[in-house]
Amino acid sequence: DVVMTQTPVSLPVSLGGQASISCRSSQSLVHSNGNTYLHWYLQKPGQSPQLLIYRVSNRFSGVPDRFSGSGSGTDFTLKISRVEPEDLGDYYCLQSTHFPPTFGAGTKLELK
Amino acid sequence: EVQLVESGGGLVQPGRSLKFSCAASGFTFSDYAMAWVRQAPKKGLEWVATIIYDGSSTYYRDSVKGRFTISRDNAKSTLYLQMDSLRSEDTATYYCARHDYYSGFDYWGQGVMVTVSS
């Protein structure tokens, strides 16, 4: 299975500040069709996960432009600018290029 | 508005069975693959199973293969998970999710808790 390594495990931030989360895969996530199936999720406390970014850099419906995704191959980053209280929670990356789909272990975004 | 509402779950003894369901609305259910994703207490997310749009193919993670069965009823817009020979390590919140080929698991239900304990 593809191993997804997320860093950091915990990320203290100040409101209004910026956060950056890294996700690295144990093998390239470029599919034979040329697409890269790397997605980002936020799970707020006590809630279900919600999709933020799909296929590396595409914001899902209703996701504010404070969230941006980048990367290629095995190295990906989620950036959150102007952090707001509703951004706090656990962030996960997911690869669905290879079977089975696998998630990173998560990054907890919390107040400094 | 896309809605996924799970029902069922609860406390079950090791070795026993449990089945729960997920009612979908707000989209054409028969157009999409569907999945179950679970989260053990205080742990991360783990994909469990996927069924394609017409139910003709199913996929499972190795640890549940032969014990869990994912199924769907497109006439009722409902997804199911039958869990047999349950183990303590199956204790988790189980989420129903729409599984889109291009955007991953794009909509999630509220989750249903399953506790396997004697």
Side-chain angles (χ1 to χ4, degrees):
Chain A
D1 296 2
V2 175
V3 177
M4 304 298 289
T5 302
Q6 270 184 252
T7 54
V9 172
S10 173
L11 182 55
V13 295
S14 300
L15 295 179
Q18 183 168 337
S20 180
I21 300 170
S22 170
C23 182
R24 288 187 172 156
S25 56
S26 59
Q27 56 186 279
S28 174
L29 298 186
V30 181
H31 194 276
S32 56
N33 64 15
N35 288 319
T36 299
Y37 297 98
L38 184 284
H39 321 291
W40 290 96
Y41 295 83
L42 163 61
Q43 186 174 30
K44 298 179 184 180
Q47 295 188 19
S48 308
Q50 58 188 86
L51 177 64
L52 295 174
I53 302 285
Y54 63 94
R55 279 186 288 128
V56 182
S57 59
N58 299 278
R59 276 188 298 277
F60 192 55
S61 174
V63 175
D65 59 7
R66 300 182 290 101
F67 293 89
S68 63
S70 62
S72 62
T74 62
D75 204 345
F76 303 90
T77 302
L78 175 71
K79 283 190 165 63
I80 311 157
S81 60
R82 307 182 304 278
V83 171
E84 297 189 5
E86 59 263 32
D87 301 338
L88 303 178
D90 296 322
Y91 288 79
Y92 296 92
C93 59
L94 163 72
Q95 73 80 22
S96 56
T97 296
H98 304 284
F99 180 85
T102 46
F103 291 90
T107 295
K108 180 177 289 293
L109 188 70
E110 53 193 3
L111 281 180
K112 196 176 286 186
Chain B
E1 179 195 4
V2 172
Q3 284 199 314
L4 299 170
V5 179
E6 297 99 333
S7 57
L11 174 64
V12 61
Q13 293 178 327
R16 303 298 290 265
S17 299
L18 192 65
K19 182 175 184 176
F20 44 81
S21 61
C22 168
S25 61
F27 66 102
T28 304
F29 183 72
S30 57
D31 283 349
Y32 288 87
M34 297 295 294
W36 291 98
V37 177
R38 68 184 179 185
Q39 185 171 35
K42 305 294 186 186
K43 298 292 185 184
L45 300 166
E46 182 177 82
W47 169 79
V48 174
T50 289
I51 184 167
I52 70 168
Y53 71 102
D54 63 355
S56 60
S57 291
T58 55
Y59 306 88
Y60 301 91
R61 68 178 303 104
D62 286 347
S63 60
V64 308
K65 213 174 290 185
R67 299 189 300 122
F68 288 13
T69 303
I70 187 173
S71 62
R72 64 192 297 159
D73 184 336
N74 284 347
K76 295 181 179 178
S77 296
T78 302
L79 177 72
Y80 303 97
L81 186 65
Q82 171 74 44
M83 304 191 298
D84 299 322
S85 303
L86 281 162
R87 306 168 180 167
S88 58
E89 54 264 36
D90 296 319
T91 293
T93 296
Y94 285 75
Y95 296 101
C96 161
R98 194 172 80 170
H99 191 165
D100 184 88
Y101 183 75
Y102 290 103
S103 56
F105 307 118
D106 56 359
Y107 291 95
W108 299 61
Q110 84 283 2
V112 59
M113 182 67 202
V114 173
T115 303
V116 183
S117 175
S118 54

